[in-house]
Amino acid sequence: MAKLFLNILGSGNLSSLKDIFSEDIRIEYPGLRAVTGSGKVVLLLKRIFSQFETLRFEALDFIQDGEKLCVTWKNDGLLKTGDAFRNEGATVLHIKNGAIDYVSDYFKYDRKDTQP
């Protein structure tokens, strides 16, 4: 499920996230208030990812305990400004009844010190 989530984020087809999200999903994204609800979470992610021309994720490690999992990843891409973008982080996911019910992201770099 974590790999599918990252693949969808990298594909740009964020509307298909609704297929793997629970209706009452909650996301905690660095620097923002928590958002709840499938439609609202997809809208938030569309706004965040709209600043990228391309973005590719590579899953590095997975840790799973029942329906809770954590994936570490790195990504790279191109911002719409033409600047290169690279980051590393971890995403915590909770799965409930076969759907992602909770997402929390942690980043190694923030915007001002992104490593191009």
Side-chain angles (χ1 to χ4, degrees), residues 39-103:
K40 289 179 182 178
V41 170
V42 170
L43 182 61
L44 170 67
L45 292 173
K46 282 181 176 182
R47 286 184 181 158
I48 291 167
F49 284 84
S50 70
Q51 61 194 314
F52 296 97
E53 190 66 41
T54 61
L55 189 64
R56 182 185 68 84
F57 283 86
E58 179 183 350
L60 302 174
D61 290 305
F62 296 90
I63 301 168
Q64 186 165 359
D65 182 14
E67 293 188 330
K68 296 178 182 180
L69 53 103
C70 178
V71 57
T72 59
W73 47 263
K74 63 182 179 179
N75 65 20
D76 62 83
L78 191 63
L79 293 163
K80 288 195 174 173
T81 62
D83 294 330
F85 180 87
R86 183 192 296 162
N87 205 349
E88 298 176 34
T91 299
V92 175
L93 301 171
H94 294 184
I95 311 300
K96 185 176 178 182
N97 299 322
I100 297 174
D101 192 56
Y102 173 80
V103 178

Side-chain angles (χ1 to χ4, degrees), residues 24-29 32-37 39-42 44 103:
D24 57 346
I25 184 173
R26 178 181 169 92
I27 188 170
E28 295 180 4
Y29 194 88
L32 302 175
R33 291 185 196 176
V35 173
T36 302
K40 289 179 182 178
V41 170
V42 170
L44 170 67
V103 178

